[in-house]
């Protein structure tokens, strides 16, 4: 029993570190691709791990908090709060929707990061970074940009990761229940 607990803690730390490291590396190699309105954060593909283990939910949220520390230096401390809440919401929904599949593919779950980030980060951008009164049309545009980047990551990289991890021989390594 103690071995399972150690395994869960280790997996959680590795997932959080992978998310943060991928985001930092991408930010250094391709500036703006992890913090702009239309972003293509490669680390977001790791959200797929929530389909395989509940340990990924707090881990990905912590990884998002850690990676958004980088954003503070760019004047975006709010993203550490709101972006991380979007990650928490999307990974929780992904875990609970993991068995809802269309032809063996969890499409509804894979859409959760785009929906959550589109709404929350789109609201954050419209509320805190666009001058003037809140404008619903502008919010839809900002949220749409964020969702578009998330869709690209999840449907391309996330799908590749999902199919790689969904193999029987890989699932045994992800089981932390």
């Amino acid at each position: 029993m103690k071995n399972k607990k150690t395994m869960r803690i280790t997996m959680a730390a590795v997932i959080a570190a992978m998310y943060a490291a991928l985001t930092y590396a991408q930010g250094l190699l391709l500036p703006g691709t992890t913090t702009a309105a239309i972003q293509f954060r490669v680390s977001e593909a790791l959200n797929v791990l929530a389909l395989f283990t509940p340990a990924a939910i707090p881990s990905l949220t912590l990884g998002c908090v850690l990676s958004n520390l980088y954003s503070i230096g760019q004047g975006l401390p709010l993203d550490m709060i709101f972006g991380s809440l979007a990650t928490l919401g999307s990974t929780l929904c992904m875990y609970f929707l993991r068995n809802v599949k269309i032809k063996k593919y969890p499409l509804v779950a894979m859409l959760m990061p785009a929906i959550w980030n589109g709404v929350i980060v789109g609201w954050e951008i419209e509320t805190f970074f666009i001058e003037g009164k809140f404008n619903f049309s502008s919010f839809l545009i900002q949220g749409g940009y964020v969702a578009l980047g998330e869709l690209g990551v999840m449907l391309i990289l996330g799908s590749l990761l999902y199919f790689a991890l969904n193999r029987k021989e890989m699932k045994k390594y992800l089981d932390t229940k």
Side-chain angles (χ1 to χ4, degrees), residues 7-171:
M7 182 66 160
R8 265 182 266 155
I9 292 169
T10 303
M11 183 182 290
V14 168
I15 292 170
M18 283 183 356
Y19 186 100
L22 280 170
T23 305
Y24 284 137
Q26 182 181 345
L28 289 173
L29 296 171
L30 302 165
T33 60
T34 63
T35 57
I38 301 177
Q39 49 183 262
F40 193 89
R41 247 189 211 189
V42 171
S43 53
E44 285 289 297
L46 295 176
N47 286 329
V48 165
L49 295 172
L51 298 173
F52 297 97
T53 177
I57 298 165
S59 306
L60 290 164
T61 304
L62 177 60
C64 188
V65 168
L66 294 172
S67 67
N68 283 337
L69 285 172
Y70 174 75
S71 299
I72 289 176
Q74 298 176 346
L76 303 173
L78 294 169
D79 203 38
M80 191 166 74
I81 298 165
F82 295 112
S84 301
L85 285 174
T87 297
L88 176 62
S90 66
T91 53
L92 275 168
C93 286
M94 287 181 79
Y95 180 74
F96 289 117
L97 293 168
R98 70 190 180 280
N99 295 321
V100 177
K101 296 183 180 174
I102 299 169
K103 295 187 180 185
K104 299 184 182 182
Y105 181 73
L107 177 64
V108 176
M110 296 293 271
L111 297 176
M112 291 299 110
I115 293 169
W116 279 84
N117 281 283
V119 171
I120 292 176
V121 177
W123 171 83
E124 175 191 353
I125 292 168
E126 179 59 29
T127 303
F128 298 107
F129 301 105
I130 306 293
E131 292 195 28
K133 288 184 176 180
F134 183 89
N135 182 311
F136 189 72
S137 298
S138 179
F139 158 72
L140 291 176
I141 292 168
Q142 300 303 328
Y145 285 153
V146 173
L148 186 62
E150 286 287 336
L151 274 175
V153 171
M154 292 307 296
L155 296 180
I156 298 168
L157 300 177
S159 293
L160 291 171
L161 184 58
Y162 171 76
F163 288 117
L165 295 175
N166 201 34
R167 298 173 55 132
K168 190 175 183 177
E169 59 271 13
M170 290 301 293
K171 283 185 181 180

